[in-house]
Amino acid sequence: MVDIKLARLPDRTPVKLAITITPDLQSALNDYAAIYAQAYGREEPVTELIPAMLTSFLENVRNFARAREGARKGRP
């Protein structure tokens, strides 16, 4: 096997997830998208922002990261 620097790419097959949210959450997401557009000068649909928001949230929750790592190593 050839040794290269780039690791094997992870599975990038999209997974569709359908959820139901409250009207208040929908309003907040729309407001966030509007503020995002003001900040970056580029409109993005809420459906494109949500995955990035969830990823950021999960990456920054330390207890979750520790628990997830422990579970991967077989620790409770």
Side-chain angles (χ1 to χ4, degrees):
M1 183 169 167
V2 177
D3 184 27
I4 60 175
K5 295 278 184 190
L6 181 64
R8 183 175 180 175
L9 296 176
D11 183 5
R12 296 178 315 274
T13 305
V15 176
K16 186 169 183 140
L17 177 66
I19 63 169
T20 302
I21 61 174
T22 64
D24 289 344
L25 180 55
Q26 177 65 30
S27 178
L29 289 169
N30 288 335
D31 291 345
Y32 190 94
I35 293 167
Y36 178 95
Q38 288 175 352
Y40 295 107
R42 179 178 172 172
E43 290 186 18
E44 294 287 353
V46 169
T47 55
E48 292 293 321
L49 294 174
I50 291 172
M53 293 166 76
L54 289 172
T55 298
S56 176
F57 174 78
L58 291 175
E59 287 175 350
N60 290 295
V61 178
R62 293 178 191 204
N63 290 338
F64 169 71
R66 279 191 289 260
R68 188 175 192 203
E69 186 63 29
R72 287 183 176 170
K73 291 181 179 179
R75 288 184 253 141

